[in-house]
Amino acid sequence: MNDLDFHIGQLVIANRILANEGVVDAYGHVSIRHPHHPGRYLLSWSRSPELVERGDIMEFTLDGNPVNDDGRAPYLERFIHGGIYEARPDVQAVVHAHAEDVLPFSITTTPLRPVIHSGSFMGAHVPVWDIADTFGDQTNLLVRNMAQGCDLARCLGSNHVALMRGHGFAAAAQSLIEVVRMSVYVPRNARALMAALRLGGEVKALSQGEIAARAAGYQPYSVETWRAWEYWAKRAGCGHLLGERPVEDARTSNRA
Amino acid sequence: MNDLDFHIGQLVIANRILANEGVVDAYGHVSIRHPHHPGRYLLSWSRSPELVERGDIMEFTLDGNPVNDDGRAPYLERFIHGGIYEARPDVQAVVHAHAEDVLPFSITTTPLRPVIHSGSFMGAHVPVWDIADTFGDQTNLLVRNMAQGCDLARCLGSNHVALMRGHGFAAAAQSLIEVVRMSVYVPRNARALMAALRLGGEVKALSQGEIAARAAGYQPYSVETWRAWEYWAKRAGCGHLLGERPVEDARTSNRA
Amino acid sequence: MNDLDFHIGQLVIANRILANEGVVDAYGHVSIRHPHHPGRYLLSWSRSPELVERGDIMEFTLDGNPVNDDGRAPYLERFIHGGIYEARPDVQAVVHAHAEDVLPFSITTTPLRPVIHSGSFMGAHVPVWDIADTFGDQTNLLVRNMAQGCDLARCLGSNHVALMRGHGFAAAAQSLIEVVRMSVYVPRNARALMAALRLGGEVKALSQGEIAARAAGYQPYSVETWRAWEYWAKRAGCGHLLGERPVEDARTSNRA
Amino acid sequence: MNDLDFHIGQLVIANRILANEGVVDAYGHVSIRHPHHPGRYLLSWSRSPELVERGDIMEFTLDGNPVNDDGRAPYLERFIHGGIYEARPDVQAVVHAHAEDVLPFSITTTPLRPVIHSGSFMGAHVPVWDIADTFGDQTNLLVRNMAQGCDLARCLGSNHVALMRGHGFAAAAQSLIEVVRMSVYVPRNARALMAALRLGGEVKALSQGEIAARAAGYQPYSVETWRAWEYWAKRAGCGHLLGERPVEDARTSNRA
């Protein structure tokens, strides 16, 4: 199996995991930057993530045009991916989802912040992007062109997650495994925070030092990270797509 | 497959989706207006939606009488459907459900309103119908005759969803796919709103312009809408009933 | 199939439904009064409800002794059943469960009351039994003898449900189908009430007239009631035990 | 089957139950003290609990070194187990989990306490261990060495459960069945307590006498305890590993 096939297989797994863990439903999507062409990304055509297979993955230029247009309809909101890849050369994978439990933080002034260790990867600051701020209050809330995708990327800045008002979130990371894991745990962190706030009194959040220590120790293909990937993939019924755990870091080397 | 067979198949799918997505349980029902006879509607006899098959679908006149009475017991509350079809010539499909998460808004004075983009289709205003207002406080809360069905339809007015006090909701739309999608996302919107209200402070709802923009862009058989329909149908175990995505808009043309 | 076999089959179904619908887990139990010997009841030996089969059903006298002691361990808390059957000749079926969502009402002073139509069968008043009131604060909270079972029955009085402080509930009805349905919907009503209370302001409960109207119209083997029974049984994987819907009311006649 | 094989089989069951009941996910682990060598414990290598099989169980000395190092990566946080076994000779089994519903009590000042009978085994006092108190606010929150494991054990003291700030909990008991049961019910108790606190007013907790009475009556291999073990194991798909219920108490005698 060559390098690209490996990455496409992992992207299929990512789709299935996000669906099976309740992060996405009929809507939401996940992409990776093309491992050989940093000016492109890989993303399914307009299918629900749970149904995505190898053959559904298409290649797009950053401005959202299919490299080989075969008539299949792309996701309307693919500009979320292109906008972020353009603004953030370090980012290798992007998730957009409507996960229910983050929505309350997108329509109130209560900030979402990491309070549990598995939520640390969202970082200390989670900005909220309101499409109405730049594009007015007559939009359908969807990110339908590069201007909107770039505006969202600007709001994301150097953070890992941006909430989208009344809509969902966009998450960006340096590896696919990382962005999927973050997408699974951000809603859990949101639930823990909401429940803690209801108990009343001060809520103890992670410290800056703790967030930094966790980020520093992170390895996308470490035993600990792969353990979760394998588990989620098997639960999602696609353990057969897993392959062996890569020994090197896919961020810095090619496997081919 | 002729036109009517197609629509009956879609109605079976709708039943299964609503059950599998937790909108209905043992109770609740979904109908479509008869595609050839606007003075009739199609609805299962008294079966739980998850168990409904093609042969269970019956034809009713708007006043709730079976066109071919073969002795099977109809739903007691079929008058919800007739009442709405009579008052609203634009409506092609109706759902009645007891979805748990909308109930709190039916027994308090807090209005249900769209705060997330997928909830936009309920519209800006969701009236609450209290059967006791017209029929007194000795009823069993069920809509058991046309007078009650018409009263509910009056309360619904030109809106898409009416809550029924201590009971559930009725949803009406111009296509089956639309009413099912609305019924799936109204409870999610309710949960997001409840959680946001508990966080405290102002809750940012969708603007009138956003609601209008989303409604304007809606197409029942667009790729985006069919994507969800296909996904939900496959999850509900009835993907084999799907058939091809209709290319034209079933609201305005016959497929036969 | 004779009368007793039919009832035992229904009791097995009841066990499976209560487990599958999340009313009971490893613990909790359901009984019926013996259809021929009103001084006895039928109840599984000490098995988790989901695992109960025909052969697990045993016969007990009201004071909790097995009619044929074959060495199988009975439920420690079978006295809940005996206590209620002794005090309430009208009761034909009893459920004891720890359903999570009713527990908050057992440890606070907020009364549980019917606010949704499917919750009406619990009746207007749901007393809370605190074992410590009569038996002191050194018990293990379990109902381990007839004195405790009778005390619980006294608290239940002529109501349909009694909460048990820090423990769960006991429900009693005139038929098995009724007590199972009540046990499924009491937790849902509890959730709706909790959510409504959090929204703030007045919560509109069912009126006395509405509760009475619903109780008056209830038939254990009506099409509407059987619809739910069939649905729940099929979901629980024991549709093959269902048999035909009885045409007469099993409360007042024998089927043999 | 010899004694050790039996215990390893039970440990596999425990892993699967904790996963299936939602106590652990990709992360979290469960161990038993070695039945013949009290200075060792048995624990899987770094696998998600749902995937653990007999061959995954390894033997560790209390300081966390594998007795037979075959290159498989151990859990980073195995020092939780060693720390507790060293400090508490009475403890035979330990669980570490991130169960979502206990987390709010680890980041606020609201104490977790038993309010439902199935929660009694956590005991009257549940301390909260904050790794930052001793090790500063630059850690990654994980228990990565014996100093940290021993510090956690010190905080646990003679209690059964310690919360870990922003992270999860550690539970310790005199038998495997006991620690699993406690781990299943501690989150349920947490949910009941949170819901009761939201209802407002005084919350009635279990009395000291009730907690003591329940603890006194506990037998790890009683019919009542085994009933739950059997049920959970079958739900988790590993009923075939169950074997016969031991007649004697495994805490005080060997089965070989």
Side-chain angles (χ1 to χ4, degrees):
Chain A
M1 187 186 292
N2 70 20
D3 173 47
L4 189 59
D5 280 350
F6 171 78
H7 285 293
I8 289 175
Q10 299 294 299
L11 185 55
V12 170
I13 293 175
N15 272 276
R16 307 278 186 86
I17 288 175
L18 291 170
N20 194 57
E21 299 296 323
V23 179
V24 298
D25 60 353
Y27 299 100
H29 19 85
V30 52
S31 71
I32 52 172
R33 194 188 288 273
H34 194 294
H36 307 149
H37 305 288
R40 301 182 188 169
Y41 59 89
L42 300 170
L43 179 71
S44 171
W45 67 282
S46 183
R47 299 211 77 190
S48 292
E50 189 169 293
L51 305 181
V52 167
E53 299 178 14
R54 281 181 178 276
D56 295 316
I57 304 298
M58 296 177 67
E59 202 174 319
F60 295 90
T61 56
L62 293 195
D63 57 6
N65 291 316
V67 172
N68 298 303
D69 191 347
D70 55 8
R72 291 183 291 180
Y75 293 123
L76 294 179
E77 295 200 280
R78 61 196 179 281
F79 307 99
I80 295 170
H81 303 265
I84 293 174
Y85 288 125
E86 189 170 284
R88 288 276 300 275
D90 62 311
V91 165
Q92 304 300 323
V94 170
V95 164
H96 168 58
H98 305 158
E100 188 176 312
D101 296 302
V102 308
L103 295 170
F105 295 96
S106 82
I107 56 176
T108 60
T109 57
T110 306
L112 179 60
R113 55 198 163 124
V115 294
I116 60 174
H117 80 313
S118 53
S120 70
F121 301 108
M122 74 174 85
H125 180 57
V126 179
V128 179
W129 180 70
D130 186 343
I131 193 171
D133 288 345
T134 303
F135 301 96
D137 70 351
Q138 315 277 322
T139 74
N140 65 2
L141 278 91
L142 302 182
V143 177
R144 295 178 69 106
N145 55 50
M146 273 306 271
Q148 294 174 336
C150 292
D151 194 63
L152 168 59
R154 217 156 14 239
C155 173
L156 176 66
S158 60
N159 298 292
H160 296 106
V161 179
L163 302 188
M164 302 160 74
R165 190 263 304 165
H167 180 169
F169 72 82
Q174 291 177 326
S175 68
L176 180 63
I177 284 191
E178 203 169 349
V179 84
V180 167
R181 182 175 160 162
M182 189 153 56
S183 300
V184 170
Y185 286 126
V186 161
R188 174 182 291 193
N189 186 98
R191 289 190 294 273
L193 176 53
M194 284 192 284
L197 289 167
R198 288 173 203 155
L199 286 178
E202 195 68 30
V203 173
K204 205 180 265 193
L206 298 196
S207 75
Q208 288 279 0
E210 287 165 346
I211 294 169
R214 288 186 60 76
Y218 185 80
Q219 299 278 1
Y221 292 111
S222 70
V223 172
E224 288 71 34
T225 307
W226 188 261
R227 187 208 311 175
W229 188 252
E230 180 193 11
Y231 166 66
W232 286 326
K234 289 188 174 173
R235 273 164 61 90
C238 56
H240 58 288
L241 297 175
L242 274 168
E244 288 294 303
R245 175 168 72 90
V247 284
E248 77 283 35
D249 185 334
R251 279 190 268 177
T252 56
S253 68
N254 275 342
R255 292 180 66 258
Chain B
M1 187 185 293
N2 72 19
D3 174 47
L4 189 58
D5 280 349
F6 170 78
H7 285 293
I8 288 175
Q10 299 295 299
L11 185 54
V12 170
I13 293 174
N15 272 277
R16 306 278 186 86
I17 288 175
L18 291 170
N20 194 55
E21 299 296 323
V23 179
V24 297
D25 60 352
Y27 300 99
H29 19 85
V30 52
S31 71
I32 51 172
R33 194 188 289 271
H34 194 294
H36 307 150
H37 304 288
R40 300 180 188 171
Y41 58 89
L42 300 170
L43 179 71
S44 171
W45 68 283
S46 182
R47 300 212 76 190
S48 292
E50 189 169 293
L51 305 180
V52 166
E53 298 178 16
R54 281 183 178 276
D56 295 316
I57 304 298
M58 295 177 67
E59 202 174 318
F60 294 90
T61 56
L62 294 195
D63 57 6
N65 291 315
V67 172
N68 298 303
D69 191 347
D70 55 9
R72 290 183 291 179
Y75 293 123
L76 294 179
E77 295 201 280
R78 63 196 177 280
F79 306 100
I80 294 170
H81 303 264
I84 293 174
Y85 288 125
E86 188 169 284
R88 288 278 299 277
D90 61 313
V91 166
Q92 304 301 323
V94 170
V95 164
H96 169 58
H98 306 157
E100 189 176 311
D101 296 302
V102 308
L103 295 170
F105 295 97
S106 82
I107 55 177
T108 60
T109 56
T110 306
L112 179 61
R113 56 198 164 124
V115 295
I116 60 174
H117 80 313
S118 53
S120 69
F121 301 108
M122 74 174 87
H125 180 57
V126 179
V128 179
W129 180 70
D130 187 343
I131 194 171
D133 289 345
T134 303
F135 301 96
D137 70 351
Q138 315 277 322
T139 75
N140 64 3
L141 277 91
L142 303 182
V143 177
R144 295 177 68 106
N145 55 50
M146 273 305 272
Q148 294 174 336
C150 293
D151 194 63
L152 167 60
R154 218 158 12 239
C155 173
L156 177 67
S158 60
N159 298 293
H160 295 106
V161 178
L163 302 188
M164 302 160 74
R165 190 263 305 166
H167 181 168
F169 71 82
Q174 290 176 326
S175 68
L176 180 62
I177 284 191
E178 203 168 350
V179 83
V180 167
R181 182 175 162 163
M182 189 154 55
S183 299
V184 170
Y185 286 126
V186 162
R188 173 181 291 193
N189 186 98
R191 287 190 295 274
L193 176 54
M194 284 192 284
L197 289 167
R198 288 174 203 154
L199 287 177
E202 195 68 30
V203 173
K204 205 180 269 195
L206 299 196
S207 74
Q208 288 280 1
E210 287 165 345
I211 294 169
R214 288 185 61 75
Y218 184 81
Q219 299 278 1
Y221 292 110
S222 70
V223 172
E224 288 72 33
T225 307
W226 188 260
R227 187 209 311 176
W229 188 252
E230 181 194 9
Y231 167 65
W232 287 326
K234 289 189 174 173
R235 273 163 62 89
C238 56
H240 58 289
L241 297 175
L242 273 168
E244 289 294 304
R245 175 169 72 90
V247 284
E248 77 283 35
D249 185 336
R251 279 190 266 176
T252 54
S253 67
N254 276 342
R255 293 179 65 257
Chain C
M1 186 187 293
N2 71 20
D3 174 46
L4 189 58
D5 280 348
F6 170 78
H7 285 293
I8 289 175
Q10 299 295 300
L11 185 54
V12 170
I13 292 174
N15 273 275
R16 307 277 187 85
I17 288 175
L18 291 171
N20 194 56
E21 299 296 323
V23 179
V24 297
D25 61 352
Y27 300 99
H29 19 85
V30 51
S31 71
I32 51 172
R33 193 188 288 271
H34 194 295
H36 307 151
H37 304 288
R40 300 181 188 169
Y41 58 88
L42 300 170
L43 179 71
S44 172
W45 68 282
S46 183
R47 300 212 75 190
S48 291
E50 188 169 293
L51 306 180
V52 166
E53 298 177 16
R54 280 181 178 276
D56 295 316
I57 304 297
M58 295 176 68
E59 202 175 318
F60 294 90
T61 56
L62 293 195
D63 57 7
N65 291 314
V67 171
N68 298 302
D69 192 347
D70 55 9
R72 291 184 291 179
Y75 292 123
L76 294 179
E77 295 201 279
R78 62 196 178 281
F79 307 99
I80 294 170
H81 302 265
I84 293 174
Y85 289 126
E86 189 170 284
R88 288 278 299 275
D90 62 312
V91 165
Q92 304 301 322
V94 170
V95 164
H96 168 58
H98 306 157
E100 189 176 314
D101 295 302
V102 307
L103 294 171
F105 295 97
S106 82
I107 55 176
T108 60
T109 56
T110 306
L112 179 61
R113 54 197 165 126
V115 295
I116 60 175
H117 80 311
S118 54
S120 70
F121 301 108
M122 74 174 88
H125 180 57
V126 179
V128 179
W129 180 70
D130 187 343
I131 194 172
D133 289 345
T134 303
F135 301 96
D137 70 351
Q138 315 278 322
T139 75
N140 64 4
L141 278 91
L142 303 182
V143 177
R144 295 178 68 106
N145 55 50
M146 273 304 274
Q148 294 174 336
C150 293
D151 194 62
L152 167 60
R154 216 157 14 238
C155 173
L156 177 66
S158 60
N159 298 293
H160 295 106
V161 179
L163 302 188
M164 302 160 74
R165 191 263 304 165
H167 180 167
F169 72 82
Q174 291 177 326
S175 68
L176 180 63
I177 283 191
E178 202 169 349
V179 83
V180 167
R181 182 175 161 164
M182 189 153 56
S183 300
V184 170
Y185 285 126
V186 161
R188 172 181 291 192
N189 186 99
R191 288 191 294 274
L193 176 54
M194 285 192 284
L197 289 167
R198 288 174 203 153
L199 288 178
E202 196 69 29
V203 173
K204 205 179 266 194
L206 299 196
S207 74
Q208 288 280 1
E210 288 165 345
I211 294 168
R214 287 185 62 75
Y218 185 80
Q219 299 278 1
Y221 292 110
S222 70
V223 172
E224 288 72 33
T225 307
W226 188 261
R227 187 209 310 176
W229 188 252
E230 181 193 10
Y231 167 65
W232 287 326
K234 289 189 172 172
R235 272 163 63 89
C238 56
H240 59 288
L241 297 175
L242 273 169
E244 288 294 304
R245 175 168 71 91
V247 284
E248 78 282 36
D249 186 335
R251 279 191 268 176
T252 54
S253 66
N254 276 343
R255 293 179 66 257
Chain D
M1 187 185 292
N2 71 21
D3 174 46
L4 189 58
D5 280 349
F6 170 79
H7 286 293
I8 289 175
Q10 300 293 300
L11 185 54
V12 170
I13 293 174
N15 273 277
R16 307 278 186 85
I17 288 175
L18 290 170
N20 194 57
E21 298 297 322
V23 178
V24 298
D25 60 353
Y27 299 100
H29 18 85
V30 51
S31 71
I32 51 172
R33 193 188 288 272
H34 195 294
H36 307 149
H37 305 287
R40 300 183 188 168
Y41 58 89
L42 299 170
L43 180 71
S44 172
W45 68 282
S46 183
R47 301 211 76 191
S48 291
E50 189 169 293
L51 306 180
V52 167
E53 299 177 16
R54 281 181 177 276
D56 295 316
I57 304 297
M58 295 176 69
E59 201 174 320
F60 294 90
T61 57
L62 293 195
D63 57 6
N65 291 314
V67 172
N68 299 301
D69 191 347
D70 55 9
R72 290 183 291 179
Y75 293 123
L76 294 178
E77 295 200 280
R78 63 196 178 282
F79 307 99
I80 294 170
H81 303 264
I84 294 174
Y85 289 125
E86 189 169 283
R88 289 276 300 275
D90 62 312
V91 165
Q92 303 301 323
V94 170
V95 164
H96 169 57
H98 306 158
E100 188 176 313
D101 295 302
V102 308
L103 295 170
F105 295 96
S106 81
I107 55 176
T108 60
T109 57
T110 306
L112 179 61
R113 53 197 165 126
V115 294
I116 60 175
H117 80 311
S118 54
S120 70
F121 301 108
M122 73 174 86
H125 180 57
V126 179
V128 179
W129 180 71
D130 187 342
I131 194 171
D133 288 346
T134 303
F135 301 96
D137 70 351
Q138 315 277 322
T139 74
N140 64 3
L141 277 92
L142 302 182
V143 177
R144 295 178 68 107
N145 55 51
M146 273 305 272
Q148 293 173 338
C150 292
D151 194 61
L152 167 59
R154 217 156 14 238
C155 173
L156 177 65
S158 60
N159 298 293
H160 296 107
V161 178
L163 302 188
M164 301 161 74
R165 190 265 303 166
H167 180 169
F169 72 82
Q174 290 178 325
S175 68
L176 180 63
I177 283 191
E178 203 168 348
V179 84
V180 167
R181 183 175 160 162
M182 189 153 56
S183 299
V184 170
Y185 285 126
V186 161
R188 173 181 291 193
N189 187 98
R191 289 191 293 274
L193 176 54
M194 284 191 285
L197 289 167
R198 288 173 203 154
L199 287 178
E202 195 69 29
V203 173
K204 204 179 267 193
L206 298 197
S207 74
Q208 288 280 0
E210 288 165 346
I211 294 169
R214 288 185 61 76
Y218 184 80
Q219 299 279 1
Y221 292 111
S222 69
V223 171
E224 287 71 34
T225 307
W226 188 261
R227 186 209 311 175
W229 189 252
E230 181 193 9
Y231 166 66
W232 287 326
K234 289 189 174 172
R235 272 162 62 89
C238 56
H240 58 289
L241 297 175
L242 273 169
E244 288 295 304
R245 175 168 72 91
V247 284
E248 77 282 35
D249 186 334
R251 278 190 268 176
T252 54
S253 68
N254 276 342
R255 293 179 65 258

